[in-house]
Amino acid sequence: MAANDQPPTVERYDSPLFLIVCRDGAGSAAARAEKLDGHLQHVEVNWRRYVLAGPLRQPGSQPLIGSYFLVRAADETDARALMSGDPYVSSGMYATMEVLEATASIGLFLGGKIWESADAIRDKAAG
């Protein structure tokens, strides 16, 4: 790797993050169309809490199969409360909703990586 390809070290994100993966249920295409305006209004009003979000598809396929949301929240209860205000969630459109705590560690949107060296995070790497 060339020296200019090294990611810069950036500050760790200051609030807890939760990755929420929602899988569509039966009849989701109709529900998406019906609830779209309310869904967009909800995410726009709360846009500062979403680090990244969008629809999910099978690779190379056009139909939507769900959605993902990387959200800032104080805890899991707060993350679920945010999601409960989304008409896609409150209407029962999703068959499943998995909530996972996440750490933004490296990437383009983050602007680099959060660790100085492998030794600095070795104790956390084992879980």
Side-chain angles (χ1 to χ4, degrees):
M1 182 181 305
N4 62 349
D5 287 342
Q6 292 292 320
T9 301
V10 298
E11 292 294 318
R12 183 182 173 119
Y13 211 77
D14 65 344
S15 67
L17 299 176
F18 292 85
L19 176 64
I20 301 166
V21 180
C22 301
R23 292 296 199 135
D24 287 2
S28 63
R32 278 184 182 277
E34 179 185 332
K35 303 296 182 183
L36 177 64
D37 291 340
H39 165 70
L40 294 179
Q41 180 181 13
H42 175 77
V43 297
E44 287 176 9
V45 164
N46 295 287
W47 76 272
R48 291 185 187 278
R49 300 212 36 210
Y50 293 94
V51 176
L52 198 61
L56 294 170
R57 297 174 182 83
Q58 291 292 340
S61 183
Q62 197 57 23
L64 302 181
I65 60 166
S67 304
Y68 72 95
F69 306 87
L70 183 58
V71 301
R72 297 171 52 204
D75 53 29
E76 181 183 355
T77 300
D78 185 35
R80 288 183 182 277
L82 172 66
M83 295 306 297
S84 71
D86 186 328
Y88 279 4
V89 173
S90 61
S91 72
M93 183 186 89
Y94 296 124
T96 63
M97 184 173 85
E98 184 176 17
V99 179
L100 304 164
E101 193 163 345
T103 300
S105 296
I106 188 169
L108 185 61
F109 286 113
L110 188 60
K113 61 184 176 105
I114 63 169
W115 63 89
E116 290 287 337
S117 69
D119 287 339
I121 61 167
R122 193 168 308 283
D123 63 323
K124 295 176 184 170

